[in-house]
Amino acid sequence: MVLSRGRHVGGVSENSDVMLLAAELDRLNGLEHLSAADKLSLSGDWLQTLLNEVSDYILIKDRGSRIVMANRQVALDVGLEDAAQLIGKTDLDLHPLETARKFQAIEQEIMSTNLPRIDFEEPSILVNGRRKWFASSKFPVSDSDGKVVGLIGLSRDITDRKRAALLQEGQNKVLQDLASGRPLEQVLDTLVLSIEKQLDGVLGSVMLVEECGTRLRAGAAPNLPGDYVALTDGLKVGPRTGSCGTAVHRSESVIVEDIFKDPLWEDFREVVKPFDLRSCWSVPFFGKDGGVLGTFGLYTAEVRSPTDHDLKLALEAARLAAVAVERELDEQKIRYLANHDALTGLPNRQEFESRLNDKVTASRDSGAPVAVVFVDLDNFKFVNDSFGHAIGDQVLKIAAERIVSVVDGKCQAIRFGGDEFVLIVEGNAAHKSRLKQLMAQLRKEIGRTIRIGDLSFHVTCSLGAARYPQEAEDADQLLRNADKAMFEAKSLGRNGFHIYQHTRPEMSLNKMTLLEDMRSGIGADQFFLEYQPQYNLDTGRITGAEALVRWQHPDLGRLMPGEFITLAEESGLIVPLGRWVIKEACRQNKEWQDGGLVPVTIGVNVSARQFRETGLIADVCAALDESGLPAGSLELELTESLLIQDAEHAVSLMNDFRGIGLKLAIDDFGIGYSSLVALKSFPLTRLKIDRSFIHDLDYDENDRCIARAIISLGRELGLSVVAEGVETAKQQAFLAGCKCEVAQGFHFGRPMSAEKFGKLLAMTLTPLDAHSR
């Protein structure tokens, strides 16, 4: 190849390094070895024309890195029209300082070492600010004495290949962040930075649509001015709300070339003016359901439209942003489901335990009390048995909503499992008086009438509470003691509340141990009965009592039914225990009668397990025969749910009982949900109105209507009616006005020992008012 020296200009042609380089090139490319016929007559102009047709860069530089020869492609990319304009210039004249210094450092190293560098990568920023990448090879040129006098450089544009590689690299980084579970903010930062790395003079941002769908919040903008990001955080979505807000509103890309002229930015120009931002292009991204999740925005400091490459990257970034946000939303759902009850939406037991430990630790440091309140729905099994689990689920949701409405964000409510809820109460609200007010309010709200479709009924609850540090030493003990207080409330007749008290040494109520203790305790006279009197509202005299079992445990002290009846039913020990209760109630009643006291009827509760036993009628007959008690002085109390489980068997057995003269009462009437069927089908003598309908008689007109209807229905069917849970004189007066015959409850007397009831029975000729409490 012959290179002409005729293009040298100015003082450059006289430079010794240039002259040496030109001479050496003539020598290296001389044609002396060719025959005359083969020699080519190549002029310098012809060679320049040939080089200008090459799309790669071709450069020849002298020892000082000044250009001796170059083709037109080099000139065009640096903003010149003719390659001749490049002669004598260095990279410092053509490129930004940092880029030029890198080029010169590489070239000086090649010339100083006399070693070429082949196919290495060089980035270059052009005069228009665009970035290109080249695969370059540079070779030193030496004179006949071996002295390096310059170099030849060849560079091929690999921008497209490099962009593809950078895009792949950025995608890999984002996907790696996603796979390693990094926070969404970090993933989006990685995404924005990877896009900015591929574009010149462009700053990226991600805006996320808030759950409400009407506002955007800042997701990532690592290089945008922080004050600007803060101002746009919470941007409204609308038809003229800049590029991003409008893109979400339209669900399509919005390209704004000049922020200060486009009407979409009219209301935000003063906001953006201090931040040297002129163009904004916004691409929305979507979730699997088609809803807009957010936007990927690109800002520039100059007024311009995006290139095809810009838009391609923005679309790819939007796609990756959608993947990242969708993953975050899915993980949020998983975390929510892991820590919340799917039915009620309340935090679940797993979440509760960690929260309670944190609260107790904080209480230990601050000295402010913290309390746990257990809420258990009474006889909830009846709902599922009568209406099915779908209705039961709705009842649980209604109960949860009512609990939340009472606490109103002032304390944390958790679904503990099944039909149990737990509250964590802090600060002043955990003081005893305030705690009682809260539990009373919860009981009242939960006990309101529930209406589901054509159904209308009540569900009551029992509540128990314990406080730290007053009634517990740590979170576990606090929870156990609140649970025990709830069972105490149940044992006192349900639909009540109780705060834990230290009544006996703390011991673990291991089920197996307690079961064995119960088995031996039945034969060791550890169980005893208490009697709650029933008064005739017309005459004011005692007409009967309900027998209630208690256990005087040798180590644990006095245990109420809520602490052992469920275990007795599960294990089958309820059968021998129930046999003992019937026998003892008959014996005691006969003893009172033999003592000359007015004959009364004693009611005994019969469990479902007992009722299914074939030996129940034999047990009753044996108790009557052994005690000598008239059958008419014994009443068996049965629940509605028990009767409807096997109606045919129930009718047959009840007819047998009626045949020997026993009285039969349906207990907790009104909450078994098949009441009219029960009254129609079964040979009953009395019905007992559940306490949930009595509790709010003072102010709840619905309960008054229900109570009137039950009393009237009982009278029409020839049944005696007993109202349970009477606690006030107003309730007594209302029931008497409705012609209710009998009432029992704390207003007349709590469950009491046989001795005390006997003394009370001896005073039955005294008017009722003398005994009312």
Side-chain angles (χ1 to χ4, degrees):
M1 177 174 66
V2 176
L3 300 179
S4 170
R5 289 171 291 174
R7 304 293 292 185
H8 291 214
V9 295
V12 176
S13 63
E14 298 175 359
N15 182 276
S16 60
D17 285 344
V18 173
M19 297 297 290
L20 287 170
L21 174 60
E24 183 60 21
L25 291 174
D26 279 345
R27 186 186 68 80
L28 292 173
N29 295 281
L31 306 177
E32 292 81 357
H33 60 286
L34 299 176
S35 65
D38 293 331
K39 286 182 180 180
L40 298 176
S41 176
L42 302 177
S43 70
D45 289 338
W46 190 96
L47 180 60
Q48 186 67 52
T49 300
L50 177 63
L51 295 180
N52 286 343
E53 296 300 316
V54 179
S55 60
D56 294 344
Y57 279 13
I58 300 177
L59 285 164
I60 300 175
K61 294 185 178 182
D62 67 11
R63 180 71 184 180
S65 290
R66 290 182 291 267
I67 296 174
V68 174
M69 177 175 280
N71 65 343
R72 184 194 290 174
Q73 189 62 46
V74 179
L76 293 176
D77 276 358
V78 296
L80 302 176
E81 295 182 1
D82 190 348
Q85 296 174 274
L86 293 169
I87 305 304
K89 296 185 182 298
T90 69
D91 289 315
L92 291 172
D93 302 315
L94 304 173
H95 299 288
L97 180 61
E98 184 179 353
T99 302
R101 284 178 174 173
K102 287 180 181 178
F103 288 165
Q104 286 192 344
I106 292 172
E107 292 170 358
Q108 290 302 314
E109 179 186 351
I110 291 170
M111 289 186 286
S112 65
T113 62
N114 198 16
L115 296 173
R117 288 190 63 174
I118 300 173
D119 200 21
F120 66 97
E121 194 173 282
E122 281 188 310
S124 178
I125 297 178
L126 308 182
V127 291
N128 59 7
R130 301 293 188 269
R131 186 179 307 181
K132 276 193 173 185
W133 285 267
F134 295 91
S136 298
S137 295
K138 295 183 179 181
F139 304 89
V141 176
S142 302
D143 60 15
S144 57
D145 297 327
K147 181 181 178 182
V148 175
V149 294
L151 62 77
I152 298 175
L154 304 172
S155 297
R156 171 156 293 174
D157 187 348
I158 59 168
T159 301
D160 289 342
R161 187 179 78 192
K162 185 63 179 178
R163 283 174 173 173
L166 287 174
L167 179 59
Q168 184 65 54
E169 179 185 333
Q171 289 173 331
N172 290 342
K173 285 183 179 179
V174 172
L175 294 175
Q176 186 176 5
D177 281 357
L178 285 170
S180 58
R182 297 189 187 280
L184 177 63
E185 293 77 9
Q186 186 172 337
V187 175
L188 295 179
D189 272 353
T190 299
L191 174 60
V192 172
L193 291 172
S194 71
I195 297 300
E196 290 178 347
K197 185 178 179 180
Q198 300 173 62
L199 300 175
D200 301 310
V202 174
L203 300 177
S205 77
V206 176
M207 301 288 284
L208 301 176
V209 177
E210 292 186 343
E211 190 174 352
C212 62
T214 60
R215 290 186 179 273
L216 293 173
R217 63 179 175 85
N223 290 317
L224 278 176
D227 290 344
Y228 176 72
V229 175
L231 288 170
T232 58
D233 194 18
L235 176 72
K236 285 186 177 180
V237 172
R240 293 167 62 92
T241 51
S243 301
C244 295
T246 307
V248 173
H249 177 74
R250 296 179 181 175
S251 295
E252 63 182 29
S253 298
V254 172
I255 307 300
V256 172
E257 297 177 11
D258 190 344
I259 288 173
F260 295 154
K261 292 182 179 179
D262 197 294
L264 297 181
W265 282 82
E266 185 175 353
D267 296 335
F268 304 96
R269 286 172 190 157
E270 294 304 315
V271 173
V272 76
K273 187 178 290 185
F275 300 104
D276 194 27
L277 301 172
R278 291 300 299 271
S279 293
C280 183
W281 322 314
S282 185
V283 177
F285 52 89
F286 305 86
K288 293 188 289 286
D289 61 356
V292 182
L293 297 176
T295 66
F296 191 89
L298 295 173
Y299 292 84
T300 67
E302 60 179 322
V303 175
R304 74 175 180 90
S305 298
T307 65
D308 290 343
H309 180 60
D310 295 333
L311 288 177
K312 177 184 176 183
L313 287 181
L315 289 168
E316 176 61 19
R319 185 186 70 82
L320 289 173
V323 173
V325 174
E326 281 279 4
R327 185 209 67 166
E328 177 66 16
L329 293 174
D330 288 343
E331 289 189 352
Q332 285 179 2
K333 290 177 184 176
I334 292 170
R335 288 193 294 269
Y336 181 87
L337 292 174
N339 295 312
H340 287 76
D341 172 52
L343 179 64
T344 64
L346 294 176
N348 61 19
R349 186 167 183 168
Q350 177 177 330
E351 179 74 1
F352 163 76
E353 290 173 352
S354 62
R355 289 189 184 186
L356 182 59
N357 279 311
D358 291 343
K359 298 300 182 185
V360 169
T361 300
S363 174
R364 189 178 295 122
D365 295 337
S366 67
V370 60
V372 166
V373 177
F374 252 100
V375 182
D376 184 88
L377 302 185
D378 296 328
N379 298 317
F380 180 70
K381 186 175 182 295
F382 293 167
V383 179
N384 288 330
D385 289 346
S386 300
F387 289 147
H389 290 278
I391 296 296
D393 286 348
Q394 290 189 57
V395 171
L396 289 172
K397 287 197 285 188
I398 291 170
E401 290 167 0
R402 292 180 177 181
I403 290 171
V404 170
S405 72
V406 170
V407 302
D408 193 25
K410 297 170 187 171
C411 57
Q412 297 176 348
I414 291 99
R415 185 182 177 196
F416 200 66
D419 58 357
E420 288 184 327
F421 300 86
V422 178
L423 282 67
I424 302 176
V425 186
E426 300 176 79
N428 292 332
H431 290 301
K432 197 168 187 177
S433 59
R434 297 279 296 276
L435 208 53
K436 287 182 176 179
Q437 292 175 7
L438 173 63
M439 290 193 289
Q441 192 176 358
L442 285 166
R443 182 181 69 171
K444 175 183 175 182
E445 184 66 17
I446 293 172
R448 288 193 299 108
T449 304
I450 291 176
R451 293 183 175 86
I452 301 174
D454 296 332
L455 301 174
S456 178
F457 53 89
H458 290 70
V459 171
T460 63
C461 65
S462 298
L463 303 97
R467 298 167 299 158
Y468 174 88
Q470 292 88 342
E471 288 103 35
E473 297 180 358
D474 55 33
D476 289 340
Q477 191 178 53
L478 180 63
L479 184 61
R480 288 197 306 270
N481 289 349
D483 191 30
K484 291 176 183 176
M486 182 269 291
F487 275 109
E488 185 75 11
K490 277 191 176 297
S491 68
L492 292 173
R494 296 187 175 88
N495 195 27
F497 56 83
H498 182 70
I499 295 179
Y500 179 82
Q501 294 177 325
H502 291 287
T503 57
R504 57 175 175 266
E506 287 299 312
M507 294 188 68
S508 174
L509 294 179
N510 180 279
K511 277 191 174 184
M512 289 303 297
T513 301
L514 198 63
L515 191 60
E516 290 304 313
D517 291 347
M518 191 188 310
R519 198 182 306 277
S520 59
I522 293 173
D525 295 329
Q526 293 176 7
F527 289 86
F528 63 95
L529 297 181
E530 288 188 332
Y531 301 87
Q532 186 169 33
Q534 298 171 340
Y535 281 87
N536 184 294
L537 293 178
D538 186 34
T539 65
R541 296 183 175 88
I542 296 176
T543 61
E546 182 177 356
L548 302 166
V549 66
R550 309 288 189 252
W551 183 7
Q552 188 62 40
H553 192 282
D555 297 319
L556 301 177
R558 176 187 172 98
L559 297 181
M560 302 299 284
E563 296 175 282
F564 61 85
I565 285 295
T566 299
L567 183 60
E569 290 177 341
E570 292 173 352
S571 64
L573 284 180
I574 193 68
V575 174
L577 179 60
R579 185 184 301 122
W580 176 87
V581 170
I582 293 171
K583 181 178 178 181
E584 175 60 18
C586 290
R587 184 203 64 77
Q588 182 61 66
N589 197 3
K590 178 60 174 172
E591 182 179 305
W592 286 324
Q593 291 184 12
D594 289 346
L597 301 180
V598 175
V600 293
T601 300
I602 300 298
V604 175
N605 289 285
V606 175
S607 74
R609 186 71 175 264
Q610 281 178 275
F611 197 73
R612 290 195 299 267
E613 287 288 319
T614 56
L616 177 59
I617 193 165
D619 290 340
V620 171
C621 291
L624 293 172
D625 291 342
E626 185 177 333
S627 64
L629 182 73
S633 296
L634 178 64
E635 181 177 73
L636 300 184
E637 297 185 5
L638 314 168
T639 62
E640 292 177 62
S641 61
L642 178 155
L643 298 177
I644 64 172
Q645 289 176 6
D646 187 349
E648 186 176 348
H649 170 72
V651 170
S652 175
L653 187 57
M654 292 172 73
N655 282 329
D656 290 341
F657 283 133
R658 294 292 291 129
I660 62 175
L662 251 64
K663 294 176 181 176
L664 298 174
I666 187 165
D667 196 15
D668 299 333
F669 182 81
I671 64 170
Y673 323 117
S674 59
S675 305
L676 296 179
V677 174
L679 295 181
K680 174 184 176 182
S681 306
F682 302 114
L684 299 164
T685 56
R686 185 152 68 162
L687 63 85
K688 300 182 75 173
I689 306 174
D690 184 71
R691 66 184 63 247
S692 63
F693 299 105
I694 304 301
H695 182 265
D696 297 334
L697 283 181
D698 293 347
Y699 56 84
D700 192 320
E701 183 58 34
N702 287 330
D703 282 353
R704 291 194 189 104
C705 291
I706 292 171
R708 287 192 196 99
I710 294 174
I711 294 167
S712 176
L713 180 63
R715 272 204 320 271
E716 291 296 323
L717 294 174
L719 300 176
S720 172
V721 179
V722 180
E724 296 183 284
V726 179
E727 297 180 354
T728 68
K730 285 185 179 180
Q731 292 169 358
Q732 175 192 334
F734 174 84
L735 292 166
C738 295
K739 305 299 182 183
C740 180
E741 295 179 56
V742 180
Q744 75 179 75
F746 291 171
H747 178 61
F748 304 112
R750 293 176 179 271
M752 60 190 70
S753 67
E755 180 183 2
K756 186 173 181 180
F757 182 78
K759 292 179 180 179
L760 193 63
L761 193 57
M763 302 168 61
T764 54
L765 295 179
T766 304
L768 170 65
D769 291 345
H771 306 293
S772 298
R773 307 183 190 184

